[in-house]
Amino acid sequence: MCSSTGTATATVQIKNERARVTEWRFANRGDNTGWHRHDYDYVVVPLFDGTLEIDLGNGERVTAQMQNGIPYYREFGTEHDVINANDFECAFVEIELLEPKPS
């Protein structure tokens, strides 16, 4: 993921030629990833029950309900800023699939 500077903390846990696993931790309400575009397909595993706000960059903001341990998948090209909409610390694990899709 290529990102502008946000206030959330990104900790790369695994990085090799096939995958990159990053924990994103948001200490406070309003902490954010910074505007970014995903260069790879990815899976997100929330580590909390709560809400994230997604800034889509066109003046539109949506909310996304997260459930602890329930993953979701997105394809490359997604552009957004992810914002903590909770009054508590929250985190998720992002798994980027660095290999191309099989044809």
Side-chain angles (χ1 to χ4, degrees):
M1 178 175 72
C2 145
S3 177
S4 64
T5 303
T7 54
T9 302
T11 304
V12 176
Q13 298 174 328
I14 297 170
K15 183 177 181 183
N16 60 41
E17 62 281 346
R18 298 182 68 201
R20 179 172 39 229
V21 178
T22 305
E23 179 192 71
W24 284 92
R25 186 156 296 276
F26 304 76
N28 302 298
R29 177 184 275 278
D31 281 352
N32 68 312
T33 58
W35 182 257
H36 61 277
R37 178 183 189 278
H38 287 268
D39 295 330
Y40 303 98
D41 293 348
Y42 64 101
V43 175
V44 169
V45 182
L47 302 177
F48 70 103
D49 292 322
T51 305
L52 293 174
E53 186 174 320
I54 314 298
D55 180 349
L56 300 175
N58 57 3
E60 183 181 0
R61 286 191 175 202
V62 297
T63 57
Q65 287 301 123
M66 300 289 116
Q67 267 191 287
N68 187 21
I70 306 298
Y72 63 88
Y73 167 85
R74 297 288 183 268
E75 292 189 348
F76 78 94
T78 301
E79 293 181 297
H80 57 208
D81 184 11
V82 179
I83 305 154
N84 180 6
N86 306 286
D87 289 324
F88 54 83
E89 180 180 57
C90 65
F92 60 79
V93 173
E94 174 184 86
I95 303 147
E96 294 174 279
L97 309 173
L98 305 180
E99 293 184 331
K101 286 183 187 179
S103 19

